Amino acid sequence: MKERAYNFSAGPSMLPEAVIKDVADNLLNYHECGESVMEMSHRSAEFKQILADAEANLRDIMNIPDNYKVLFIQGGGTLQFAMVPLNLAVNSRKIDFVLTGNWAKKAYKEAVKMGYDAKVIASSEDDTFTWIPEITKDDIRPDADYVHICFNNTIYGTHFPYIPDTGDIPLVADMSSCILSEEIDVTKFGMIWAGVQKNVAPSGVAVVIVREDLIGKAAADIPTYLDYQIHADNDSAYNTPNTFSIYVSGEVFKYLKANGGVAAMHEKNVRKAKKLYDYIDGSGYYKCPVREKDRSLMNVVFVIGDKDVEKKFVAEAKAAGLHNLGGHRSIGGMRASIYNAMPEAGVDALIEFMKKFADENK
Ligand SMILES: *Cc1c(COP(=O)(O)O)cnc(C)c1O
């Protein structure tokens, strides 16, 4: 294949082409410092600057208040399922979960496995997670240490259409598949975290944004690496961090800042998603199973209803330069992940392909 494909993978996923090119230009000799970022000491002045700029730019584009720490931690999204309870469930050890899909469930199961008092306060599992439950303060245990939600459900293509009001109880949101896709009022959350490989950078880092009064309370016997306070005290470089992924993350933050910030990105995301959902809904051939107001801007799931035809769809799409349109292995069907870096032309090309495929296979 001579040209780059439109890659609809759920993650790792597309990066802005301008960022990849800039990284490539600087790959051998980063800004003429004589070294590649891949070879650079994490204690060097150059890398310290990369890390400081990444944090400053993320703070800027997300409008993160000073009383929140920004941390870059290895272990991806999954390690956070264990780290959050260890650091935040330190009083009653009670955690309330809203089950909206596989990732929320994994977080819940990890807490159960570790012996926390985990409670599912709402779930849409009986309807294959096709909608988002509405929760109020009354659903939450008054002494819960925090409430966990998965803000965008990568596999089921749903997204919280509201920010739950949890009162004084910290709200913790897994934003792995939607961070930087829309403007978010960080102050409504005790903690936001995201694996970077969906909407930011190559895999290997989770960005953690946590209110500083919530950390520093973990039990003394937890593994050192799992304590947020250690990462905060050492500016995300207690040990060797994932230098390359942090570098690319920082380049993406810079790119967003120079291109209208998160608001401009959101506008484009709304336009892209609307086009695709409108086409699906009006097609008479494809169906989106998700309740309209809960639909994700990032992950668009749809079905034809015949497994063999769906297989053919995914294969023919790939041959046409539209990659990775198969649904998650747990639910099948199709999924188009159209993160920030998916150009609008990619969505247009997908819709054209879908029209043609529908005509040929009706
Ligand atoms: C991908 C994903 C994860 C898991 O991320 P890993 O980095 O693979 O551990 C967790 N939560 C959500 C919402 C995701 O989309």
Side-chain angles (χ1 to χ4, degrees), residues 75-79 81 103 150 152 154 174 176-177 193 195 197-198:
T78 299
L79 184 61
F81 297 153
W103 295 117
C150 181
N152 184 78
T154 327
D174 175 357
S176 292
S177 50
W193 57 271
Q197 75 272 23
K198 310 275 163 67

Side-chain angles (χ1 to χ4, degrees), residues 3-272:
E3 286 171 41
R4 277 169 59 78
Y6 291 118
N7 179 8
F8 294 90
S9 166
S13 40
M14 288 182 85
L15 294 171
E17 196 164 310
V19 171
I20 298 182
K21 283 186 168 150
D22 188 65
V23 168
D25 285 346
N26 283 287
L27 197 60
L28 228 44
N29 187 356
Y30 175 74
H31 292 300
E32 301 185 353
C33 78
E35 297 172 18
S36 168
V37 177
M38 296 187 291
E39 309 162 315
M40 201 176 267
S41 164
H42 60 296
R43 307 282 174 216
S44 64
E46 284 84 2
F47 187 74
K48 277 189 179 156
Q49 194 63 52
I50 287 171
L51 192 50
D53 288 348
E55 178 179 336
N57 284 324
L58 183 64
R59 282 185 181 279
D60 188 22
I61 56 179
M62 279 187 77
N63 206 4
I64 300 171
D66 288 343
N67 65 322
Y68 284 74
K69 298 287 185 192
V70 172
L71 312 171
F72 298 94
I73 299 176
Q74 301 200 49
T78 299
L79 184 61
Q80 294 310 310
F81 297 153
M83 268 180 100
V84 183
L86 286 172
N87 285 272
L88 268 52
V90 290
N91 299 309
S92 66
R93 294 176 60 87
K94 291 181 183 176
I95 313 166
D96 287 353
F97 287 85
V98 182
L99 277 207
T100 51
N102 284 25
W103 295 117
K105 205 170 182 177
K106 281 197 169 167
Y108 166 72
K109 282 188 170 164
E110 190 77 349
V112 170
K113 183 180 182 203
M114 293 166 74
Y116 289 89
D117 178 351
K119 183 186 173 193
V120 175
I121 57 168
S123 169
S124 51
E125 187 167 18
D126 288 349
D127 294 318
T128 354
F129 297 120
T130 48
W131 52 279
I132 299 288
E134 264 133 56
I135 60 157
T136 66
K137 266 189 258 189
D138 296 336
D139 298 315
I140 301 162
R141 289 179 288 183
D143 59 343
D145 278 335
Y146 67 90
V147 177
H148 175 106
I149 61 170
C150 181
F151 209 56
N152 184 78
N153 295 278
T154 327
I155 295 172
Y156 295 92
T158 60
H159 174 273
F160 269 77
Y162 70 104
I163 297 176
D165 176 6
T166 56
D168 292 335
I169 298 170
L171 178 63
V172 172
D174 175 357
M175 293 199 186
S176 292
S177 50
C178 61
I179 192 161
L180 299 172
S181 67
E182 64 190 313
E183 289 181 294
I184 286 289
D185 180 354
V186 174
T187 64
K188 298 256 162 64
F189 298 85
M191 176 177 161
I192 292 169
W193 57 271
V196 296
Q197 75 272 23
K198 310 275 163 67
N199 220 1
V200 185
S203 62
V205 167
V207 171
V208 168
I209 300 161
V210 61
R211 223 173 62 209
E212 62 190 1
D213 61 289
L214 297 174
I215 64 172
K217 295 171 180 165
D221 64 353
I222 72 165
T224 310
Y225 190 82
L226 302 186
D227 187 343
Y228 292 134
Q229 192 66 50
I230 289 284
H231 295 274
D233 290 345
N234 293 278
D235 297 326
S236 297
Y238 169 72
N239 67 331
T240 318
N242 185 331
T243 51
F244 196 76
S245 179
I246 290 171
Y247 159 56
V248 181
S249 299
E251 293 301 305
V252 169
F253 302 154
K254 256 190 247 172
Y255 171 84
L256 291 177
K257 199 167 153 176
N259 287 277
V262 176
M265 211 31 79
H266 182 235
E267 226 182 275
K268 184 179 137 195
N269 289 332
V270 168
R271 213 162 51 228
K272 286 181 336 195

